[in-house]
Amino acid sequence: MAVYFSPAKINLFLRVIGRKSFGYHEILTPMVALSFGDEVSVGVSSSDSFVCNVKEISGSSNLALKALDLFRQKTGVTTPVTISLKKRIPVGSGMGGGSSNAATVLFALNQIFSVGFSSEQLASMGAHLGSDIPFFFSLGEALCSGRGDVVTTLSEGSIEIAKRFLLVFDNRGVSSDAAYQAFSAKYSPSTENLFELAKNDLEDPVFSFRQDLCRKKKFLQETFSESQVVMSGSGATLVVFSPSRLEEKTPLIFEGSPLRYALAEKIVREKGSWYQSNNFSYN
């Protein structure tokens, strides 16, 4: 079987700038791919099989399996395949884990069966499954708008992008639906200073029902006073930009318990190939 790295993404900022008539919120957000992520193995087999190390997402609703079904609908290829998914990106973390897995499966199947879809075609296919999927067919850094599915290449120097990030995880994820419902209940779309780094319009709505995340952000701001801290996507991961004075395996104690975290770097991919990550730390 071929093994592929399936990267996490983070949002350098996220602004909610409107709401479409069909219910989706319109956003503006630059995303970057990271050296932290999952591992997806795909290969031809005698019968279909799917294995995942996280039981709660191992059913037919998994986006990796939906990507397989979509690929078959578009191509007519019915050859049985085995997909093995080793999850490291926490569920409900705001880092696009499921979307990354789906994009990786689409890329892998396109290669294995020599279909010849372009990245743009694969991105268009993936948009039917999830708004974040098209981003992963960029080269690893892009400005995303619409529902997040309209992907524009960032011009060089247009946004300051840190090269190293601290990802602080949480044992409880936050669903995108809950985050946007909380936003709709009390908040209005942004119209000014839209390109403010480390500004996430979903933070206050999420913090309204997850006060523990609000306290954790304050702790990180005090610990890394020289760095910007922001929630990624709809939560629940908090991201510290360019953290200093932190070595691998250094304990971060918050409210009496050690935090789970990973140190990661921004990565890009070459046209025609997929993302690569030789190593990353996971605490």
Side-chain angles (χ1 to χ4, degrees), residues 5 8 35-38 53-54 86-91 93 95 165-171 237 247-250 259-264 277 279-283:
F5 178 65
S35 59
F36 174 81
D38 299 335
N53 63 324
V54 179
K86 184 176 181 180
K87 292 292 294 179
R88 297 184 180 95
I89 304 171
V91 177
S93 62
M95 294 194 294
F165 302 91
L166 169 67
L167 313 173
V168 181
F169 306 124
D170 194 83
N171 292 328
T237 300
E247 301 298 329
E248 294 180 11
K249 305 301 181 184
T250 300
L259 294 174
R260 293 170 53 232
Y261 70 82
L263 290 166
S277 178
N279 60 72
F280 53 82
S281 62
Y282 183 51
N283 203 41

Side-chain angles (χ1 to χ4, degrees), residues 188-237:
S188 300
S190 296
T191 58
E192 298 179 350
N193 302 320
L194 296 181
F195 282 74
E196 181 181 351
L197 279 176
K199 173 67 175 177
N200 185 341
D201 287 342
L202 295 180
E203 270 192 12
D204 287 344
V206 169
F207 290 170
S208 70
F209 62 88
R210 288 293 307 274
Q211 295 182 6
D212 57 311
L213 292 178
C214 183
R215 296 194 304 272
K216 188 186 292 184
K217 178 176 178 177
K218 291 179 180 178
F219 165 76
L220 293 171
Q221 288 174 319
E222 293 170 357
T223 303
F224 302 96
S225 57
E226 78 291 350
S227 301
Q228 294 171 304
V229 182
V230 67
M231 186 180 79
S232 183
S234 56
T237 300

Side-chain angles (χ1 to χ4, degrees), residues 104-167:
T104 304
V105 167
L106 288 174
F107 181 89
L109 294 171
N110 191 49
Q111 275 200 325
I112 290 169
F113 294 107
S114 302
V115 175
F117 284 137
S118 66
S119 290
E120 291 76 16
Q121 289 173 310
L122 291 171
S124 179
M125 288 170 55
H128 295 287
L129 299 177
S131 301
D132 287 343
I133 294 175
F135 162 73
F136 292 99
F137 292 103
S138 73
L139 298 183
E141 53 184 56
L143 184 66
C144 302
S145 57
R147 295 185 291 120
D149 57 336
V150 180
V151 179
T152 306
T153 301
L154 285 172
S155 57
E156 186 173 353
S158 60
I159 295 176
E160 183 180 352
I161 301 177
K163 294 183 178 180
R164 190 168 185 251
F165 302 91
L166 169 67
L167 313 173

